[in-house]
């Protein structure tokens, strides 16, 4: 029974992790698209913002993990 409980807990954590990833990606891409369109920015700026999203994502995950450890 312990194995099933652990499996359910892991599945629940993975689901929330995937949801967090999806929400972050949607918000980041939408934000970048709006900024570049409103400012009529060049394509290279769009690509640089998208690349910065990778760094921002790992920063978000790192800060969430750090907050969890402090609790």
């Amino acid at each position: 029974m312990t194995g099933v409980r652990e499996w359910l807990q892991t599945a629940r954590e993975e689901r929330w992790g995937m949801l967090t990833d999806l929400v972050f990606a949607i918000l980041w891409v939408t934000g970048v698209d709006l900024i570049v369109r409103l400012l009529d920015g060049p394509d290279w700026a769009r690509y640089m913002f998208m690349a910065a999203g990778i760094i921002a994502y790992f920063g978000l995950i790192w800060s969430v993990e750090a907050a969890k450890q402090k609790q």
Side-chain angles (χ1 to χ4, degrees):
M1 193 65 156
T2 304
V4 172
R5 199 173 298 147
E6 289 176 7
W7 179 78
L8 287 172
Q9 179 67 26
T10 302
R12 187 175 299 123
E13 289 173 2
E14 288 177 6
R15 185 174 348 139
W16 282 109
M18 289 172 46
L19 182 62
T20 303
D21 296 347
L22 178 63
V23 169
F24 179 85
I26 290 171
L27 291 175
W28 188 266
V29 171
T30 302
V32 167
D33 189 55
L34 287 173
I35 290 170
V36 172
R37 283 180 190 234
L38 288 174
L39 298 177
D40 196 27
D43 284 340
W44 63 265
R46 180 185 314 262
Y47 300 136
M48 293 299 287
F49 271 120
M50 291 298 176
I54 297 168
I55 296 166
Y57 169 77
F58 285 108
L60 171 72
I61 297 303
W62 175 79
S63 65
V64 168
E65 292 297 322
K68 283 182 183 178
Q69 288 179 358
K70 286 186 179 181
Q71 285 183 343

